[in-house]
Amino acid sequence: MDINRSESLLQNDAVVTFIVAATRYCALVEPLSTPEWTEETMRDCRVILADLYSAALHLPELQSSVNYTSGYPERVVTEESYTSVRRRLERFFGIEDRFLDAQQESQRYSDLPVSVSVSELMADIYQAVADSIWDIRQNGASTLVGTLASLEYTFEYEWGKSILLVLKHLHDLAVNPGFEPATGSSADEDEEKPEGSYL
């Protein structure tokens, strides 16, 4: 790997912008970083997710120059921390956590409407970007090209689509006068910070 290329990427404005946006999103959904979710937090989430999507679009194109499969980051988001993020969001959204999505692949094989969970989509996004940001912060230039190439690939085929679904649902909830989120602190609940948290 060209270490000079990797070091130059660490100074790339688009890469730095992405890292900042990803870190802001992770801080927003981690229970110990943002112990209470409100409607204002949900508005902040819409802004941050839009920024994250835009930042991912502007990352330097690396997929064609590297085998991204060799660059998958180490999994630092544990099952427990993933579940903690998902459950806290699930409680906040309540009955509005699940929504219909006709674009789901499984809809092609079902006569019944297919629903998805916004809290699960948000936890999936959290895992994808948290693992990658942790890898970049821990390993710096040594794994940067592979990690960014992996991020680009998974953005195109996985979590990029999830961001769009989440944004649409959050928009619908924001203009829904009947939406009443569950609010309150999660400090008294059994929720832990992810191992290797960078916050």
Side-chain angles (χ1 to χ4, degrees):
M1 180 185 301
D2 185 347
I3 193 67
N4 291 328
R5 179 188 187 200
S6 296
E7 288 176 349
S8 69
L9 282 172
L10 283 174
Q11 306 303 320
N12 183 288
D13 288 345
V15 173
V16 172
T17 298
F18 176 82
I19 292 172
V20 170
T23 302
R24 288 175 63 211
Y25 177 72
C26 292
L28 193 72
V29 299
E30 283 186 359
L32 290 187
S33 299
T34 306
E36 182 177 359
W37 256 60
T38 64
E39 290 185 77
E40 182 178 353
T41 315
M42 189 173 77
R43 285 193 296 271
D44 291 342
C45 186
R46 293 169 66 191
V47 172
I48 291 170
L49 281 173
D51 288 346
L52 182 60
Y53 189 88
S54 176
L57 285 176
H58 289 91
L59 285 172
E61 294 185 15
L62 298 170
Q63 288 185 60
S64 61
S65 63
V66 68
N67 177 8
Y68 68 87
T69 57
S70 65
Y72 277 123
E74 174 187 356
R75 290 293 187 193
V76 296
V77 176
T78 64
E79 182 178 350
E80 290 77 15
S81 54
Y82 173 94
T83 301
S84 175
V85 166
R86 182 184 60 76
R87 285 183 177 167
R88 192 269 293 266
L89 291 169
E90 186 177 43
R91 283 191 295 274
F92 173 79
F93 291 113
I95 61 172
E96 299 293 346
D97 180 61
R98 299 201 72 84
F99 62 98
L100 299 180
D101 177 30
Q103 301 301 313
Q104 289 295 307
E105 181 69 22
S106 54
Q107 182 68 69
R108 297 184 184 183
Y109 312 104
S110 174
D111 294 331
L112 299 174
V114 173
S115 68
V116 293
S117 162
V118 67
S119 61
E120 186 173 338
L121 291 172
M122 291 176 70
D124 289 345
I125 297 166
Y126 165 69
Q127 181 166 47
V129 299
D131 285 343
S132 297
I133 296 307
W134 176 250
D135 184 73
I136 291 170
R137 291 196 173 187
Q138 286 295 102
N139 300 305
S142 64
T143 61
L144 183 60
V145 173
T147 299
L148 288 178
S150 172
L151 265 171
E152 289 174 0
Y153 180 85
T154 56
F155 169 74
E156 292 291 339
Y157 296 100
E158 297 172 13
W159 60 272
K161 294 179 182 180
S162 296
I163 287 179
L164 297 177
L165 284 172
V166 171
L167 279 173
K168 180 184 182 306
H169 190 58
L170 294 186
H171 179 88
D172 290 345
L173 292 180
V175 298
N176 178 1
F179 173 54
E180 295 183 4
T183 58
S185 173
S186 59
D188 59 341
E189 295 166 359
D190 184 21
E191 295 173 324
E192 62 178 278
K193 200 171 187 177
E195 292 179 18
S197 176
Y198 43 82
L199 300 174

